[in-house]
Amino acid sequence: MPSIVSSLLLASAGLSVAGANYTRIDGPLFPETVYPGRESENPVTIAGSKTNQTSPPKYPSPWGEGLDDWADAYEKARAFVSQLTLEEKVNLTTGTGWELDSCVGQTGSIPRLGFKALCLQDSPTGVRDTDFNSVFPAGVNAAAAWDRGLAYARGKAMGEEHRDKGVDMQLGPVAGPLGRAPTGGRNWEGFSPDPYLTGELFATSIKGIQSNGILTSAKHFLAYEQEHFRLAYEAVPYGFNITESVSANLDDITMHEMYLWPFANGVKAGAASVMCSYNSINNSQACQNSYTLNYLLKQELGFQGFVISDWYGTHSGRESMLAGLDMTMPGDPEGQNTNTGASYYGSNLTIAVLNGSIPQWRIDDATTRIVAAWYYVGLDNKTTDINFNSWTLDTYNWEHWFVGGGAWKQVNQHVDVRGSHAPLIREIAAKSTVLLKNVNNTLPLTGSEKLTAVFGYDAIANPEGNNACVDRQCDNGTLAMGWGSGSSNFASLITPDMAISNEVAANGGAYEAVTDNYALAKVGPLARRADVSLVFVNADSGEGYIVVDGNYGDRNNLTLWGNGDALIEAVAANSSNTVVIIHSVGAVLMDKYKNHDNITAILWAGIPGEQSGNAIADVLYGRVNPSGKLPFSMAKNREDWGADVLYKPNAGTGGPQTNFKEGIFIDYRGLDKHNITPTYEFGYGISYTNYTYSNIKINKHEVSEYTAATGKTSSAPTYGTIDMNPAAHVFPANFTRVPMYLYPWINSTNLSSSSADTDYGKDVPLPAGAYDNSSQAIVPAGGAPGGNPLLWDVIATVTVDIKNVGKVAGEEVAQLYVSHGGPYDAPLALRGFEKVLIQPNQTATASFDILRRDIMNWSPTQQNWYVSNYTKTIYVGASSRNLPLSLKF
């Protein structure tokens, strides 16, 4: 089993000190490189992005204290947990096994106290593996809308559907992957490679989902940036000979300023749980990484909820529990050990408490965190039972599907939970559509075009059926979502072909289509006759357990799929009015089309969910003035991004090694740093009207000085008394077991022979402090959920005036960027955005609150945030490279 000895390596040096002024010296440099020209400030080397790096562990696992608005939930949870037996505590921490209950994950229950099994269900785009549910626009579309209100509404609506299916926890939203590499397979489940934009939408989504009285699982923690090699057992059948998960190797500054940043927003917003990821972080598995779980999440960010493993992300028992993992899912071990009746937790956890290798305070803390989260969101008032089954859509089937056991019963009530969500889905999809090019007002179309021609299979439904490809594991037909566990079934899907043909028919026009991307001989004749030629193309990706067209989750390239480029070229060669519509999971290479004379308009529509066709018709025909902005950059060449997926295993001592040597310089930060001109920059998007910016002002607020958090925690509490006699914990007499089901009881009073986990037992050493239950010092950057409360002070408010100088009303996304001023800072970092509706010839004011954390940098040596001794400059405008207003701060 993997060792827990390593976690995250802190940069051995990250700041030089000259008097009271800190000079920042981080950057995307290779390890052991001295910064040229800075030797006089003391020679400094960077450690933290190199192969096989390790780090000291962090123990003990912090116990929840009910900080801030968690106080009432913790008071109730303590009273509840005090009543529990050891088996009941274990039941709450362990899944019951894969495909053995109704949901993708379920815990055990506590019948005598009326605590039902918790139902945990994907996905971040809708309720997975059921019917009569909505399919929402993906996270990347929510980001492209740049609208906190829509993000909240989307979260609320998804939460309602999960609640009405009887789900207790929606497995989402997603802030990891952040999007280090544009080819990353699951980037679309999250929001943006910018940590600020992701953090804002991550937080509002959590609030929206949990407003329904259900839990969220904020995921995937942490630095989960590729699908290749995420799990060793998954990669081996693909021909990759590896024994450990891929390790994301990164320095402490990059960790804090990029990948941890949005999770601070999520914790501050009240995330009930956080899901640890599959990858290793600096060669320690994420779900047993004591630095990221114990120190960063629970101590520094003050997280009060519980940590849950990704499915099969648990690699040990005692080590994981002491490193901060509170709940394992689906309960089984990874890989070939699935559905064997074994678990790292379950009965092995019972044994570990009885033999003293896990102290009572730690199992009590894990259980208290779970129950406190249950109270925190109001699940104690739940009224809807589980009314679906994830493993079959049949109305009747076995209660325990995998083993064909239990009662033959109604397992699906086919409850329609869609409500009135279709208009919201349509609105988000339309408002997240980004207009990239529009020559001579080609768009909007008038509706009076004599012949409208549509090209590409991306305009039509999958000929085999909307749900023919399980978990969307194909690219047949229009791309409305990516593949994997982040997908859900379509109760209905409005395709572009359906919506546009209806639009044309309603206006008395003619409509023809060629929807075979390879029927190029048929393209030219139709394109030459058309008044407007609409070309639909796509690029797909998804989760690593599925391979589509040779893409192992991650995209192999950034080109269009299914002969899409040849299709565009064939149409544009024959039609002087060619409009390209892209459905893609992220960036694609579009530079050759930007200045193509016959391509008059380009739109990026992302993966917009079930209302795809209606939404694109709304934009094409002017019912919606496009207001979407790119939440990522579209560079000219793949190499311009500076970071990529590792596609072949390298020579790490454990798993493959990905070294984040680019540091904080991903996406637009890297393009800006290296002065690379993209095809379309981060934040770019045009409209059917035009805007001008003027009159920037700043109002600085009086706030107290930033000081390090101080003080100490309480000592670790225990709740109730555990009978330490093994005889009290064996299976009850005459108990009938469901095969493969995971139970908390033990097989015999001989703990050694009863255990199936050789890692349990005090003869296996752990680092110092793992069992320390004494009062602990509060870390400087900690003190409350989200970190030091002073980080969240509003230190200034910036306002700008925006005038609509066109002829139609529109919504403009005003963006605020900060230059931190140091030679190793990003030239610009997004620190604010506001979407404002403006009527023609009218002026609106956009207002941005700047938080203290927005102008700070991370100090590895101080282990705290600080304001560097460089002038801060604020820029406001329409995109990251269109910033007409600025002022010194």
Side-chain angles (χ1 to χ4, degrees), residues 385-398:
D385 291 332
I386 302 166
N387 53 47
F388 69 101
N389 187 283
S390 298
W391 320 116
T392 177
L393 293 178
D394 292 342
T395 302
Y396 292 91
N397 213 300
W398 294 108

Side-chain angles (χ1 to χ4, degrees), residues 839-876:
Q839 298 299 321
N841 203 36
Q842 297 295 310
T843 299
T845 299
S847 178
F848 312 88
D849 284 339
I850 299 177
L851 305 183
R852 193 195 306 266
R853 73 193 289 244
D854 293 335
I855 64 165
M856 300 183 87
N857 293 119
W858 179 255
S859 162
T861 55
Q862 302 287 321
Q863 281 298 287
N864 203 355
W865 296 91
Y866 75 103
V867 179
S868 66
N869 192 32
Y870 294 104
T871 300
K872 310 293 181 272
T873 306
I874 292 168
Y875 299 87
V876 178

Side-chain angles (χ1 to χ4, degrees), residues 122-135:
D122 296 304
S123 79
T125 58
V127 190
R128 183 187 180 201
D129 291 333
T130 184
D131 52 12
F132 300 104
N133 58 274
S134 300
V135 174

Side-chain angles (χ1 to χ4, degrees), residues 507-833:
N507 285 286
Y511 176 87
E512 295 184 41
V514 176
T515 56
D516 184 343
N517 285 19
Y518 295 90
L520 299 184
K522 304 294 184 182
V523 167
L526 176 57
R528 287 193 292 273
R529 293 191 296 115
D531 292 271
V532 61
S533 298
L534 305 175
V535 189
F536 285 85
V537 290
N538 69 34
D540 200 0
S541 73
E543 193 168 356
Y545 69 91
I546 292 172
V547 181
V548 179
D549 196 22
N551 294 266
Y552 294 82
D554 306 306
R555 283 189 282 169
N556 292 334
N557 51 57
L558 294 173
T559 56
L560 298 168
W561 285 35
N563 211 37
D565 286 298
L567 178 67
I568 293 174
E569 290 166 4
V571 174
N574 290 278
S575 173
S576 62
N577 191 18
T578 299
V579 177
V580 176
I581 300 98
I582 307 158
H583 287 121
S584 76
V585 291
V588 290
L589 299 178
M590 296 297 294
D591 201 62
K592 60 184 174 181
Y593 305 126
K594 180 178 181 180
N595 297 313
H596 194 297
D597 289 341
N598 285 349
I599 296 177
T600 53
I602 302 174
L603 300 107
W604 180 85
I607 37 179
E610 66 177 43
Q611 291 291 314
S612 174
N614 284 335
I616 200 64
D618 287 343
V619 173
L620 290 172
Y621 291 94
R623 288 185 292 274
V624 172
N625 185 353
S627 59
K629 305 270 189 172
L630 288 177
F632 49 77
S633 302
M634 282 199 181
K636 294 180 179 181
N637 306 293
R638 180 175 184 170
E639 297 74 22
D640 292 348
W641 273 276
D644 209 341
V645 165
L646 178 72
Y647 290 93
K648 293 182 179 180
N650 52 17
T653 55
Q657 306 285 301
T658 54
N659 299 331
F660 290 21
K661 291 183 179 180
E662 72 285 345
I664 67 170
F665 297 98
I666 67 171
D667 200 79
Y668 74 93
R669 298 168 185 239
L671 294 169
D672 290 350
K673 173 182 172 59
H674 299 292
N675 198 27
I676 299 172
T677 301
T679 301
Y680 297 109
E681 70 266 21
F682 176 85
Y684 178 83
I686 56 177
S687 168
Y688 296 154
T689 189
N690 295 294
Y691 307 97
T692 60
Y693 284 71
S694 65
N695 196 27
I696 186 170
K697 296 179 181 178
I698 185 167
N699 177 27
K700 297 179 182 179
H701 305 304
E702 291 294 329
V703 293
S704 59
E705 181 182 356
Y706 181 74
T707 56
T710 58
K712 303 195 79 173
T713 70
S714 63
S715 57
T718 57
Y719 303 111
T721 301
I722 293 175
D723 187 340
M724 301 303 288
N725 181 0
H729 303 282
V730 297
F731 272 88
N734 302 318
F735 184 84
T736 302
R737 306 188 195 186
V738 175
M740 313 302 178
Y741 209 81
L742 301 177
Y743 296 100
W745 295 287
I746 60 179
N747 294 316
S748 74
T749 57
N750 185 326
L751 297 183
S752 177
S753 63
S754 187
S755 175
D757 188 344
T758 57
D759 276 356
Y760 283 126
K762 285 205 169 181
D763 56 322
V764 181
L766 277 173
Y771 297 95
D772 183 1
N773 64 349
S774 65
S775 176
Q776 303 291 312
I778 296 172
V779 299
N788 191 317
L790 298 175
L791 293 169
W792 302 89
D793 286 343
V794 177
I795 61 172
T797 300
V798 174
T799 58
V800 298
D801 291 339
I802 308 170
K803 185 175 183 179
N804 183 342
V805 295
K807 297 180 179 179
V808 295
E811 290 182 291
E812 170 68 339
V813 178
Q815 301 161 46
L816 182 148
Y817 295 81
V818 170
S819 169
H820 287 74
Y824 303 104
D825 288 313
L828 294 171
L830 181 72
R831 288 297 186 260
F833 63 91

Side-chain angles (χ1 to χ4, degrees), residues 249-333:
N249 301 327
L250 66 166
D251 65 85
D252 198 33
I253 292 172
T254 302
M255 173 68 80
H256 280 83
E257 296 188 11
M258 299 299 292
Y259 300 97
L260 186 65
W261 181 284
F263 282 96
N265 292 73
V267 171
K268 177 77 171 173
S273 79
V274 167
M275 181 187 293
C276 51
S277 53
Y278 288 127
N279 56 291
S280 293
I281 306 162
N282 295 334
N283 292 288
S284 176
Q285 293 282 353
C287 286
Q288 60 182 48
N289 188 313
S290 63
Y291 185 89
T292 57
L293 298 182
N294 284 345
Y295 184 74
L296 291 182
L297 181 61
K298 290 184 174 180
Q299 195 169 15
E300 186 179 308
L301 295 189
F303 178 56
Q304 301 297 294
F306 63 97
V307 176
I308 180 175
S309 73
D310 204 343
W311 272 230
Y312 308 116
T314 305
H315 295 264
S316 66
R318 178 186 65 151
E319 283 84 348
S320 293
M321 174 63 78
L322 294 177
L325 180 66
D326 301 302
M327 180 187 289
T328 185
M329 279 289 154
D332 317 81

Side-chain angles (χ1 to χ4, degrees), residues 21 200 492 622 740:
N21 297 323
E200 292 293 301
S492 66
M740 313 302 178

Side-chain angles (χ1 to χ4, degrees), residues 101 117 146 153 204 382 411 536 550 567 612 769:
D101 276 317
W146 293 68
T204 53
K382 179 181 178 181
V411 295
F536 285 85
L567 178 67
S612 174

